[in-house]
Amino acid sequence: MLSTFDIELLRFIHHGRIAGLDEALYILSYSASFVSIGIVIVFLVIAVKKKTWKHRRDFLKMMAALVAAALISLVLKTLIARERPFITYPDIEKLSSGGSASFPSGHTLEAFAIAMALTLVTRRKSIAVAVFTWAFLVAYSRMALGVHYPSDVAGGVFIGLFTGWFFCRLLNNKRTGRQEIKKD
């Protein structure tokens, strides 16, 4: 039942996409690593310039979320070894590279881990809206380009959210209390 829903939803997304946007979807899809690494580098530069424990800890949170996302994705792909949809279903066209196993979507996992960590570190609504919009577009692009099932993407979303939250929580200073998200 789930696999039927999974492929039918993928077909709806993949075949219903606007083909003229394929190149933009490809670029968006591959922005995941570049944007994620760029965000971590920004936090590194801030930590080096400011030289405070708070800024160093924020950098560590972002770096831990990114590295953990990559490692979790690699381990799960190896253990689960699910074939990509374009291999199993000939009507799904491979419009992007997708080399290893399908579950979870590594691009999606990484984007959501960084989105969650960045939101928790900055506590700014405008940043949260922007970064989660980007993460959802990355997730959509992986299905529209035919390289992931919706369940691969959903797995990437949930695992990524948990990864970002977990490392922010783990590396949080016990002396600082809960803070509210600031309105811009």
Side-chain angles (χ1 to χ4, degrees):
M1 174 72 181
L2 178 61
S3 62
T4 302
F5 176 74
D6 214 17
I7 187 57
E8 291 307 318
L9 182 55
L10 175 61
R11 284 182 172 129
F12 176 78
I13 293 168
H14 180 68
H15 296 307
R17 77 188 189 287
I18 299 169
L21 296 177
D22 285 351
E23 188 174 332
L25 289 171
Y26 181 85
I27 291 167
L28 181 61
S29 183
Y30 281 89
S31 74
S33 292
F34 294 108
V35 170
S36 298
I37 292 168
I39 290 169
V40 172
I41 289 170
V42 167
F43 275 86
L44 174 61
V45 169
I46 292 169
V48 169
K49 280 184 97 172
K50 300 279 184 169
K51 298 179 183 174
T52 68
W53 173 240
K54 180 212 176 304
H55 291 99
R56 289 179 186 144
R57 190 178 63 243
D58 288 348
F59 162 70
L60 289 174
K61 289 175 184 180
M62 299 305 297
M63 185 67 176
L66 178 62
V67 170
L71 290 175
I72 291 167
S73 176
L74 179 67
V75 168
L76 289 175
K77 283 176 180 288
T78 302
L79 291 175
I80 297 170
R82 183 182 194 189
E83 283 191 340
R84 299 274 181 162
F86 57 81
I87 294 171
T88 308
Y89 299 95
D91 65 310
I92 303 296
E93 185 181 359
K94 178 183 176 184
L95 299 172
S96 176
S97 58
S100 62
S102 192
F103 185 88
S105 167
H107 291 82
T108 303
L109 198 158
E110 185 178 305
F112 276 87
I114 286 296
M116 177 59 88
L118 185 60
T119 297
L120 292 173
V121 166
T122 63
R123 304 262 180 209
R124 300 196 60 94
K125 261 189 178 177
S126 61
I127 290 174
V129 168
V131 75
F132 276 106
T133 299
W134 164 75
F136 276 108
L137 290 171
V138 168
Y140 169 78
S141 74
R142 302 306 288 161
M143 294 178 290
L145 295 172
V147 292
H148 282 290
Y149 294 97
S151 59
D152 300 336
V153 169
V157 169
F158 292 115
I159 297 165
L161 289 171
F162 177 77
T163 301
W165 172 83
F166 178 79
F167 283 97
C168 283
R169 184 81 174 158
L170 180 70
L171 298 170
N172 214 12
N173 184 346
K174 302 288 187 225
R175 291 175 283 146
T176 61
R178 289 179 79 162
Q179 297 174 337
E180 295 298 317
I181 294 179
K182 298 173 191 166
K183 293 185 180 179
D184 294 317

